[in-house]
Amino acid sequence: MKMLIGGEWKTAASGGEMEVINPATWEKVGVVPQGGQDDVGAAVDAASEACSGWAALPPVERGKILFRTAALVREEVGRLAAMLVAEQGKPLREATDEVRGFAHVLEYYAGLSSSLYGESINTRLYGRIIVEKRPLGVCAGIIPWNMPVMIAGWKIGPALTAGNTMVLKPASTTPLTTLAIGDLFLKAGLPAGVLNIVTGPGETVGEALVTHPEVRKVSFTGEIGTGRHVAETAAQTMKHVSLELGGSDPMIVCDDADLEVAAAGAAAGRFYNCGQTCTAVKRVYVFSEVAERFRELLTEKTRAFTIGNGMEKRVRMGPLNNAAGLERIEAVVEDVRDEAEILTGGTRPEGKGFFYEPTLLAGLPADAPVLSEEVFGPVLPVVEVEDLDEAVEAANSTRYGLGASIWTKDLGRAERGCQDLEAGIVWVNQHIKVPPETPFGGVKWSGTGRENGVHALERYTEEKALLIRP
Ligand code: NAD
């Protein structure tokens, strides 16, 4: 496949290429250009040229193009989902949900296209102030590999609806489905240059986008370390920056919770996407009165996860996406093997593919790194607590603040969780789901800014004040 620059499909200026492999089989599933600084320059030029025409279109016309793209994506969901399984590894059902979710996000923003209102303030003293919401210009979207299609939608949807143009950089291991969707945007009538997709490594393509003076906003999703570097670099050219970073979401299970439902929620919330979700359940704090029963139920549900190639119907968990991720998970488990109780899992199946068994840990010391750092794979620690005070304190004890959940039938406890858990999103009796209406992002080190909702649309505009004196 080639890169999308200025409405045309291009190879890299250097001629370089990168292979994409299937994480379940290690077979090559595609080859894409290894872009560099010149390709980013060409893409930003194309996006700059397209800016004024796209911003001048009636918003409802911009919305129609997004609606048409969403319809084409829905028509092609089978092909796109299979492509996503091949490059990312997740089970077909999850890939299908992700592709449909992308279409849903586009539809949501297309529906909002005529709703970007300004303001009017009559000062009487100095006349009337009109506040217009103007697009920012060229925006860069930098995407991780875990939910490559959905997260691209979270950036493209609001950016284009608000009248911006965009250069998107997919992660190196998952560029294929994004490029295929780029083609559907063109088929839906998106003018050349409004959306450009440049493939290549973060250190070159990502870096070139973040340093380019014509780029007015960087919307970054990825690890904290990369995010911090992106923020520092983008500050040199005064860009708007939004950072959607890592999480270590706690789940609190109170003694009055429906334990069957909570155990199913913990297993689904952790092992979805092989544990590689920013808002996965990453730590469970369960009241000691019900801890034994909860562990039994969770162990039973975890053992029911069949792992394998995501294209096989019976499979509920695919491989990790890449070798580095698998090595990190193996190291996390080895680190605690002697002190923790491994309730199930803890090994890597033999053979090809970056597979690791869904793993439950108990009996960990309070200072175990697995309880304070983000673990991006299928490993879930379960910790006993005496009461809600202890649970909330432990839940808030990390530098992360993306999501958190509390499982209880008691409204007072639910309210306490909503108020006191330090997170951008708190779920009650559920975890992980983020519909497009939800403003989504973290507090503390989990990032700045919000995606989704009308809130993201606002963040792709800036106010221009007009003072009019008759
Ligand atoms: P990563 O930081 O390694 O890479 C993310 C993207 O940044 C990739 O496209 C990469 O090529 C690019 N990149 C790398 N170096 C760069 C540089 N110097 N300049 C610009 N771009 C650069 O993250 P990852 O491993 O792909 O993703 C996993 C992480 O993403 C996890 O921490 C996860 O929690 C986080 N995440 C957060 C959210 C959220 O919304 N908060 C959503 C999904 C994933």
Side-chain angles (χ1 to χ4, degrees):
M1 289 174 104
K2 294 183 180 166
M3 298 186 279
L4 179 59
I5 297 181
E8 290 175 12
W9 297 99
K10 306 262 189 191
T11 53
S14 67
E17 292 186 329
M18 314 186 297
E19 285 188 356
V20 180
I21 65 147
N22 183 327
T25 62
W26 295 343
E27 283 161 11
K28 184 171 83 177
V29 289
V31 177
V32 295
Q34 179 158 353
Q37 201 165 353
D38 291 345
D39 306 295
V40 168
V44 175
D45 286 351
S48 289
E49 252 176 59
C51 261
S52 54
W54 181 245
L57 264 191
V60 70
E61 296 301 324
R62 294 201 292 263
K64 280 183 195 167
I65 294 175
L66 263 59
F67 271 130
R68 279 202 292 274
T69 310
L72 291 175
V73 168
R74 287 191 186 279
E75 272 172 30
E76 301 245 14
V77 66
R79 177 178 72 93
L80 295 168
M83 196 181 264
L84 183 55
V85 173
E87 63 179 341
Q88 204 280 342
K90 61 186 64 187
L92 185 60
R93 194 172 48 174
E94 291 180 14
T96 306
D97 283 351
E98 185 173 343
V99 173
R100 288 204 180 113
F102 174 91
H104 187 183
V105 170
L106 286 197
E107 288 155 356
Y108 170 75
Y109 282 108
L112 288 176
S113 61
S114 296
S115 311
L116 250 184
Y117 301 122
E119 296 156 31
S120 167
I121 307 156
N122 192 345
T123 68
R124 311 264 172 211
L125 264 184
Y126 304 103
R128 192 183 300 279
I129 305 171
I130 295 175
V131 184
E132 286 187 356
K133 302 277 174 75
R134 305 283 285 243
L136 302 171
V138 179
C139 300
I142 301 181
I143 314 288
W145 45 260
N146 64 329
M147 305 276 291
V149 172
M150 183 64 102
I151 293 171
W154 290 356
K155 299 187 192 308
I156 299 169
L160 268 51
T161 301
N164 303 279
T165 61
M166 180 160 255
V167 181
L168 204 66
K169 190 210 102 53
S172 298
T173 55
T174 53
L176 302 177
T177 320
T178 312
L179 289 168
I181 287 176
D183 189 36
L184 299 181
F185 271 102
L186 293 185
K187 289 197 167 108
L190 191 75
V194 174
L195 176 67
N196 307 273
I197 305 172
V198 182
T199 50
E203 298 72 29
T204 49
V205 169
E207 195 77 19
L209 275 171
V210 178
T211 50
H212 199 298
E214 288 290 314
V215 172
R216 295 311 319 137
K217 169 165 176 147
V218 178
S219 177
F220 172 85
T221 304
E223 284 184 350
I224 285 182
T226 325
R228 185 161 58 179
H229 171 74
V230 164
E232 284 168 2
T233 313
Q236 305 304 313
T237 43
M238 293 297 169
K239 296 185 196 329
H240 296 248
V241 177
S242 108
L243 301 170
E244 302 296 340
L245 308 177
S248 179
D249 286 15
M251 166 177 181
I252 297 175
V253 183
C254 300
D255 52 2
D256 64 322
D258 182 326
L259 294 185
E260 273 281 348
V261 174
R270 172 77 269 197
F271 304 119
Y272 179 81
N273 199 13
C274 194
Q276 305 163 113
T277 305
C278 50
T279 52
V281 173
K282 296 194 177 121
R283 301 170 278 151
V284 173
Y285 296 101
V286 56
F287 283 31
S288 50
E289 289 91 330
V290 294
E292 193 178 338
R293 179 69 189 133
F294 177 79
R295 278 194 302 265
E296 279 168 15
L297 287 167
L298 180 56
T299 305
E300 188 186 296
K301 292 184 191 308
T302 301
R303 289 192 177 134
F305 269 76
T306 315
I307 62 175
N309 187 328
M311 287 307 289
E312 288 172 38
K313 257 205 172 133
R314 60 182 184 95
V315 165
R316 280 190 64 203
M317 195 180 93
L320 288 122
N321 174 256
N322 51 65
L326 174 61
E327 275 163 30
R328 275 197 293 269
I329 289 304
E330 287 186 296
V332 160
V333 176
E334 287 324 306
D335 188 46
V336 296
R337 192 176 286 284
D338 293 340
E339 40 188 349
E341 186 187 347
I342 298 181
L343 300 176
T344 185
T347 55
R348 178 190 170 182
E350 281 184 8
K352 287 186 177 171
F354 302 124
F355 293 101
Y356 199 85
E357 288 177 349
T359 300
L360 296 176
L361 303 174
L364 285 156
D367 61 353
V370 66
L371 294 174
S372 57
E373 280 310 312
E374 181 181 42
V375 173
F376 217 53
V379 176
L380 182 58
V382 181
V383 177
E384 282 186 39
V385 289
E386 288 312 313
D387 55 26
L388 195 51
D389 285 339
E390 189 186 345
V392 170
E393 192 183 332
N396 289 342
S397 68
T398 75
R399 62 180 173 157
Y400 298 95
L402 196 54
S405 64
I406 178 160
W407 300 65
T408 177
K409 293 182 193 127
D410 180 325
L411 260 185
R413 284 171 163 176
E415 174 63 11
R416 166 91 199 277
C418 291
Q419 296 308 322
D420 291 352
L421 286 167
E422 294 168 357
I425 178 167
V426 177
W427 291 273
V428 177
N429 296 324
Q430 57 173 327
H431 203 117
I432 219 171
K433 292 288 179 207
V434 182
E437 298 84 355
T438 325
F440 177 67
V443 301
K444 305 199 291 191
W445 285 64
S446 288
T448 57
R450 291 292 178 269
E451 301 205 291
N452 279 339
V454 287
H455 317 84
L457 204 51
E458 297 276 333
R459 285 175 160 92
Y460 280 94
T461 63
E462 56 196 349
E463 288 79 18
K464 181 168 188 177
L466 312 171
L467 272 83
I468 299 171
R469 194 163 191 176

